[in-house]
Amino acid sequence: MSYVDEVLELVKKKNASEPEFLQAVDEVLNSLRPVIEKNEEKYRKEALLERLTEPERQIKFRVPWVDDKGQVQVNTGYRIQFNSAIGPYKGGLRLHPSVNTGIIKFLGFEQIFKNSLTGLPIGGGKGGSDFDPKGKSDREVMAFCQSFMTELYKYIGADTDVPAGDIGTGAREIGYMYGQYKRITGLYEGVLTGKGLSYGGSLARTEATGYGLLYLTDEMLKSNGKDIKGKTVVVSGAGNVAIYAIQKAQQLGAKPVTCSDSTGWIYDPDGIDVALLKEVKEVKRARLTEYKAARPNAEYHEGKGVWTVKCDIALPCATQNELDIEDAKTLVANGCFAVAEGANMPTTLEATKYLQQNKVLFAPGKAANAGGVATSALEMSQNSERLSWTFEEVDAKLKNIMVNIFRNLDDAAKRYGVEGDYVAGANIAGFEKVVNAMEAQGIV
Ligand code: NDP
Ligand code: 2IT
């Protein structure tokens, strides 16, 4: 049996109840086959893949807090410190009722390769809780965040592990967590990224994931002789990533016509009104029905459905496995020629294969959405030097990083004879640096 198959079997046995983690490992290890085969005996002896798929440390803890009625609530907190070969653990905190060990492990595993692709010195980690911020008062969110940080602070630090936002964790949550960290430790340090601008945050971090997604998409299109101008774009999600992806798509001359949340979706034939979407989601924290109420020409539909809208480019920016094989078939039948993942693992394995087989340009999340964490690393740099850079400076660095990521994965795919397979290219390019650092540091 090949070494990759041996490890895939082992990982399946050890993590049988974690389907999302198995899915992420399956995709990465399968696309690393040509790289592993070149050094199969050496890697087997070093147990390189066993080490890569086993988190360095997993922390799971109780988070008790008191709701507005005086009732005590209990959530579970997680931080998975997956791999620190190339830098301190870095990755977001997801607050969503679906959070469990398998979800955080898949996100942490993806983060290793994503962070490596940025070219910056950051290792892979992820955390979060099954707490649902939706429908909670500010006081309840603060109570949760303070209790969460009262345990988490023991394991993080500006040079050890630097969490940030993800689904359900935005500026408000980061602010409450930062305040509690500072209060407990007395340290005013860059322990979290995505901070507010008045207390150490970086300009352009809010926009970074969505903007970066478009910078990489634009580069991928150019490299394939296509132009983003005038193209119809279908976007899912209506959160941090989706909003700024829509904004940058418009700035580049494309026309985004959809967005969605967990209850419904909008088709706006005139193009999404970003100012209105921000007002509904960032200020009012309301449903998309409010967007429809203010835009008579727009359609609101309950449930899932953005992938049924005819488009040139699709950008899944909500959550994992939101684009399945049926959606992929619909996109191809409607003439979609590019898919770039703003979310983490939004496309199922089957759908990814179908899109690639049908010559759709496909940019995987660990490359396409790396602009968020890359700009977090820029925030860490600014915090370390106790300076802050202008929006233009950060944005220019972000753009440069995204263009380089595309070039590196394109190059890796070519080197291994799988030209145009950007999934393999991203996994290979991300893997090379991490393995180099792991081997140099011995058996740790
Ligand atoms: P937000 O919480 O800001 O927004 C998430 C959006 O997706 C909301 O519109 C939400 O709808 C929708 N959504 C979430 N879960 C589901 C679900 N189970 N079914 C349907 N819709 C859902 O999160 P972000 O925009 O920050 O994150 C979106 C994706 O991008 C995630 O996969 C995240 O891991 C990834 N990502 C985020 C980065 C960042 O910097 N923020 C960086 C790189 C990747 P509703 O509000 O109704 O729940
Ligand atoms: O998935 C991701 O890359 C993020 N949620 C951002 C992580 C970060 O540390 O900025």
Side-chain angles (χ1 to χ4, degrees):
M1 202 192 283
S2 77
Y3 178 44
V4 166
D5 287 319
E6 280 167 30
V7 176
L8 278 174
E9 207 164 272
L10 177 84
V11 171
K12 276 179 197 143
K13 215 185 276 170
K14 280 183 88 167
N15 307 277
S17 60
E18 297 170 357
E20 293 85 2
F21 178 56
L22 295 180
Q23 181 182 340
V25 173
D26 195 337
E27 182 215 278
V28 171
L29 294 200
N30 272 311
S31 66
L32 288 177
R33 280 179 197 278
V35 189
I36 304 296
E37 276 160 17
K38 280 195 167 170
N39 285 295
E40 172 140 322
E41 282 322 305
K42 180 165 162 282
Y43 288 157
R44 185 186 273 119
K45 195 156 188 212
E46 292 174 352
L48 185 84
L49 296 179
E50 288 89 334
R51 283 191 283 146
L52 199 61
T53 51
E54 181 73 28
E56 288 177 19
R57 191 172 299 101
Q58 303 189 52
I59 301 145
K60 187 173 173 187
F61 50 97
R62 179 170 71 203
V63 188
W65 57 279
V66 183
D67 72 15
D68 284 346
K69 294 188 187 111
Q71 174 65 47
V72 175
Q73 301 286 343
V74 181
N75 288 103
T76 308
Y78 302 84
R79 186 71 185 166
I80 297 194
Q81 300 178 328
F82 222 118
N83 190 301
S84 62
I86 65 172
Y89 309 105
K90 182 82 198 86
L93 296 169
R94 178 172 292 191
L95 299 182
H96 193 272
S98 63
V99 162
N100 57 37
T101 303
I103 300 256
I104 300 299
K105 253 164 87 178
F106 114 66
L107 290 162
F109 184 70
E110 289 285 290
Q111 202 83 43
I112 304 170
F113 305 96
K114 182 195 305 193
N115 294 3
S116 167
L117 284 170
T118 65
L120 300 166
I122 40 179
K126 199 86 186 189
S129 173
D130 57 359
F131 173 77
D132 186 359
K134 239 178 265 159
K136 304 288 190 301
S137 69
D138 276 357
R139 200 210 63 84
E140 288 174 324
V141 170
M142 182 167 70
F144 168 82
C145 289
Q146 291 183 338
S147 179
F148 181 77
M149 186 51 84
T150 300
E151 185 61 24
L152 185 67
Y153 91 93
K154 297 169 188 167
Y155 310 101
I156 62 176
D159 294 312
T160 51
D161 183 354
V162 183
D166 193 79
I167 291 177
T169 307
R172 176 181 58 172
E173 291 73 19
I174 292 291
Y176 293 148
M177 290 180 195
Y178 190 76
Q180 186 73 349
Y181 179 87
K182 179 165 63 75
R183 189 177 190 200
I184 298 174
T185 63
L187 296 170
Y188 208 107
E189 61 170 15
V191 67
L192 293 168
T193 58
K195 298 186 292 299
L197 298 178
S198 57
Y199 63 96
S202 173
L203 284 160
R205 175 60 187 90
T206 305
E207 295 84 353
T209 311
Y211 278 22
L213 172 66
L214 268 294
Y215 293 146
L216 186 130
T217 304
D218 190 33
E219 190 62 25
M220 173 172 80
L221 261 52
K222 278 186 193 146
S223 145
N224 286 277
K226 295 191 190 309
D227 189 349
I228 197 166
K229 273 203 192 71
K231 300 298 184 296
T232 300
V233 181
V234 156
V235 177
S236 65
N240 175 262
V241 180
I243 289 172
Y244 294 96
I246 290 170
Q247 186 170 69
K248 184 52 75 177
Q250 287 175 347
Q251 289 172 6
L252 295 176
K255 187 178 179 190
V257 291
T258 66
C259 61
S260 66
D261 65 17
S262 52
T263 53
W265 58 283
I266 291 285
Y267 170 58
D268 191 334
D270 303 330
I272 296 292
D273 178 338
V274 179
L276 175 61
L277 183 60
K278 281 186 177 184
E279 174 69 18
V280 171
K281 286 295 174 185
E282 291 182 348
V283 182
K284 294 187 180 159
R285 299 181 188 272
R287 309 312 318 171
L288 287 171
T289 42
E290 293 219 9
Y291 178 97
K292 157 71 193 159
R295 291 276 282 188
N297 272 351
E299 295 170 18
Y300 174 80
H301 301 271
E302 289 287 329
K304 184 184 153 167
V306 292
W307 315 126
T308 60
V309 174
K310 188 172 161 52
C311 68
D312 302 304
I313 299 166
L315 305 174
C317 297
T319 194
Q320 65 273 1
N321 293 327
E322 54 162 317
L323 197 166
D324 64 18
I325 181 70
E326 293 312 317
D327 301 322
K329 286 180 181 165
T330 309
L331 286 170
V332 169
N334 281 340
C336 169
F337 66 78
V339 174
E341 297 183 319
N344 285 307
M345 210 170 73
T347 316
T348 65
L349 284 175
E350 209 186 0
T352 304
K353 283 202 188 93
Y354 184 86
L355 292 168
Q356 289 184 313
Q357 279 160 3
N358 284 277
K359 306 279 174 258
V360 174
L361 302 172
F362 184 87
K366 61 172 73 72
N369 70 37
V373 76
T375 307
S376 277
L378 301 179
E379 183 172 329
M380 290 166 72
S381 298
Q382 293 169 76
N383 292 163
S384 296
E385 64 175 15
R386 302 202 187 283
L387 290 173
S388 45
W389 308 338
T390 63
F391 187 96
E392 289 69 27
E393 213 174 337
V394 179
D395 189 40
K397 284 185 164 62
L398 166 65
K399 188 167 181 184
N400 196 28
I401 289 167
M402 299 314 293
V403 168
N404 276 333
I405 291 177
F406 179 75
R407 294 206 180 129
N408 286 340
L409 60 86
D410 191 31
D411 169 67
K414 285 177 183 154
R415 275 192 281 121
Y416 281 90
V418 285
E419 185 167 352
D421 182 346
Y422 303 135
V423 173
N427 288 332
I428 294 168
F431 174 80
E432 285 176 331
K433 182 176 173 190
V434 174
V435 166
N436 186 292
M438 282 176 74
E439 290 189 316
Q441 292 172 35
I443 308 305
V444 292

